[in-house]
Amino acid sequence: MTERILVLGGDGYLGWPTAMHLSGRGARVGVVDNMSKRAWERELGVEPLIAIASLTERIAAWKEVSGASIELFEGDLTEADFVHATLESFRPDTIIHYGEQPSAPYSMIDVHHAAFTQSNNVVGNLNVIFAMRDLVPDSHLVKLGTMGEYGTPDIDIEEGYLKVDHNGRSHTFLYPKTPGSMYHLSKVHDSHNIHFACRVWGLRATDLNQGVVYGIETEQTALDPRLATSFHYDEVFGTALNRFCVQAVAGEPITVYGKGGQTRGYLNIRDTLACVALAVDNPAGRGEMRVFNQFTETFTVLELAQRVRDAAAHLGIAANVIHADNPRFEAEEHYYNPKHSGLVELGLQPHLLSQELIDTMLQRIVEHRARIRPESLVMNVRWTPKLRSGAAAGL
Amino acid sequence: MTERILVLGGDGYLGWPTAMHLSGRGARVGVVDNMSKRAWERELGVEPLIAIASLTERIAAWKEVSGASIELFEGDLTEADFVHATLESFRPDTIIHYGEQPSAPYSMIDVHHAAFTQSNNVVGNLNVIFAMRDLVPDSHLVKLGTMGEYGTPDIDIEEGYLKVDHNGRSHTFLYPKTPGSMYHLSKVHDSHNIHFACRVWGLRATDLNQGVVYGIETEQTALDPRLATSFHYDEVFGTALNRFCVQAVAGEPITVYGKGGQTRGYLNIRDTLACVALAVDNPAGRGEMRVFNQFTETFTVLELAQRVRDAAAHLGIAANVIHADNPRFEAEEHYYNPKHSGLVELGLQPHLLSQELIDTMLQRIVEHRARIRPESLVMNVRWTPKLRSGAAAGL
């Protein structure tokens, strides 16, 4: 029987390419979205670099190009009845959950955006795990989290769990998290809730602590302009490498926050699809919350900026790297040794960051340079309205 | 200048006695409540053992008895504008936060109650910490959490933090939590959010991981019948010892869940007031989230039931202890060694559980026995609708 995969957040930067990738492999794919990302774009006055067709149009184009159908369930994950009805109708074998407010700066705008982010993400995820429990208890939840949940502790970051020896006894805990924004906190809350669902209800889940994703194209988005994914470069929704490439093409300085020593895990958007597919093909056991740290390389922010500057120079574009005031609250120099062997053991073959790849991204951005809105590159969301004397007790 | 203390959830079992206790010590006290506990009682068809006056009437009675005024702010903590206006008007030196949905069984009724509990508790707490940041950044948050956040790990439970040595390096983490219900999870989420507010904004907070509270009377509630606190004995809002005492008086069996080897920390309601007052008098530093494990003794559930049975016999009441199916998902035999020295070091002098104390509780319950509704002693909320084969991977 054809496997059924439901992609929550199927209109997003990663959700839409994932849906096509799995549909292209022969799965029966459904997508769930309430188009809220497009509403947040309008709220903030930003838009993706490439004009994006409506989800209905994208699905029709995919059918035209591939011959495969993707089913659309339009609705809000925070409505329990909608989630229940969707799972009852589609009866997925696997649920891939990207359907959350995905931006740390968005969550830090003010109290309303913080509370919205946490209640939206936490309640949506609760509705999913309860509906799984009641309707499809054997299905597998593949949940997108983030490496930012861990923060930057002074010891090695393991994949999800930490065995602690203490006063002559030992216990294995969920790896303790020290997240850096209201958004990252929402993902930590989700992980605790999912862990409960696995322990108590016997659900199966894979929690993917994903690094920062870069890239503009996948095998499927390249097939037709109407299949493009929503590539963001603005301060709120754009991620580091993507934003730096657009800054270079726009003739703006590449802005590194603070010293730029912040080290993070990164991965190519094609590897996101490969990792998610590996998790789908190798489901967690009943009662297991499996955790993978999903990234392929680590870089400092400054290294990344310099790589973009050098690749841009190779294409005849002169770009400067500048150090801007850090809007976030984070250590700018720190120990960082996160493990990430789980997905490699399942067979992941990474696409590492190369000058050729950055060249290709820059060329693709040049094609769309007329749409770049430089004002959205710096939007001044601040983690703290003004620094308080007692802050910075520790990260 | 008179210290100003705002008690969130000031209509509750602990909030109201706390407000009177601190008002009686000379503080200017404000209480915030939206009377939602009374709405949940109506929803479930349960009521406190002693008929409770309205909060307005309680405040008037307190004025009559003590001469002191308590200010009432009626509203919902999940409304950011209400919280902001309240802090702007009252400008508290200390905020004592009891204002959350406090019942584990209530949170496990179904998806709607789970999502409500988490969004209500998490969003209310977010509104409080943002308003503190923006209006009274030097004020001290005293937040009620629960020992149930920790679960029952196989190592000692420290007070809030755990130093981990790993691969030759070391780091001190927030103690990792393995909570046992959607309610307990909401408190873990709160703790992570407050930790962020202390680290990033420099707020000061004390997170009180409280054990199970028992008792019916405090120095102030005893002054006048209109000052009584809302003592619950039903399955959803009643806590272990309180419920057992009512079962004995009602001639019902004392129901121990499962084997009864579940060990928990307990404390007298008078010690709750003493602990909170100690935290108020000794505020955390700027940027510090201080954690206390707030209980005075540990007992197994079976021990507690046997003590109630023996005290009842002493009063001529014959009661049986029976083992009922455990509606919860929890280890019924486990290691348990939680530290609790922080409050003792600040000067706490515990009221330990004695036969005299149980006698006094039983006598007080006998006075109100006509109001006992035996049907609310067992309400059949289940942690899992039916046990799944893969469950119980670990607690």
Side-chain angles (χ1 to χ4, degrees), chain A residues 154 156 158 166-167 169, chain B residues 154 156 158 166-167 169 179:
Chain A
D154 258 344
D156 296 343
E158 302 296 331
H166 183 60
N167 298 347
R169 301 179 61 92
Chain B
D154 258 343
D156 295 343
E158 302 296 331
H166 184 61
N167 298 347
R169 302 179 61 91

Side-chain angles (χ1 to χ4, degrees), chain B residues 64-77:
Chain B
E64 204 183 302
V65 168
S66 73
S69 298
I70 289 177
E71 287 167 69
L72 172 59
F73 298 87
E74 188 167 344
D76 189 335
L77 294 178

Side-chain angles (χ1 to χ4, degrees), chain A residues 80-81 107-108 110-112 114-115 118-119 122-123 126-127 129-130 133-134 137 152-156 158 162-164 166-167 169-171 173-182 185 188-190 192-193 195-196 198-202 286-287 329 335 339 383-385 387-395, chain B residues 80-81 107-108 110-112 114-115 118-119 122-123 126-127 129-130 133-134 137 152-156 158 162-164 166-167 169-171 173-182 185 188-190 192-193 195-196 198-202 286-287 329 335 339 383-385 387-395:
Chain A
D81 295 344
S107 77
M108 296 304 296
D110 60 18
V111 62
H112 303 288
Q118 292 206 1
S119 63
V122 168
V123 171
L126 285 176
N127 288 339
I129 59 179
F130 271 87
R133 179 193 77 171
D134 294 338
T152 53
D154 258 344
I155 63 169
D156 296 343
E158 302 296 331
L162 181 64
K163 181 167 177 288
V164 176
H166 183 60
N167 298 347
R169 301 179 61 92
S170 88
H171 188 80
F173 289 99
L174 262 193
Y175 196 100
K177 307 283 182 69
T178 315
S181 77
M182 290 288 159
L185 283 156
V188 172
H189 305 339
D190 284 344
H192 280 101
N193 287 337
H195 190 227
F196 177 89
C198 294
R199 286 184 289 132
V200 175
W201 300 332
R286 284 301 295 268
F329 185 84
Y335 181 73
K339 307 299 172 62
W383 258 231
T384 176
L387 271 171
R388 315 251 170 222
S389 57
L395 294 160
Chain B
D81 295 344
S107 77
M108 296 304 296
D110 60 18
V111 63
H112 302 288
Q118 293 207 0
S119 64
V122 168
V123 171
L126 285 175
N127 288 339
I129 59 180
F130 271 87
R133 179 194 77 172
D134 294 339
T152 54
D154 258 343
I155 63 169
D156 295 343
E158 302 296 331
L162 182 64
K163 180 166 178 289
V164 176
H166 184 61
N167 298 347
R169 302 179 61 91
S170 88
H171 188 81
F173 289 100
L174 263 194
Y175 195 101
K177 307 284 182 70
T178 315
S181 76
M182 290 288 159
L185 284 155
V188 173
H189 306 340
D190 284 344
H192 280 101
N193 287 337
H195 190 226
F196 177 89
C198 294
R199 286 184 288 130
V200 175
W201 300 332
R286 285 300 296 265
F329 185 85
Y335 181 74
K339 306 300 174 64
W383 258 232
T384 174
L387 271 171
R388 316 255 170 219
S389 57
L395 293 160

Side-chain angles (χ1 to χ4, degrees), chain A residues 277-297:
Chain A
L278 285 169
V280 170
D281 292 346
N282 300 276
R286 284 301 295 268
E288 181 191 7
M289 182 171 99
R290 182 178 54 175
V291 182
F292 291 132
N293 293 341
Q294 178 167 310
F295 65 94
T296 59
E297 299 172 275

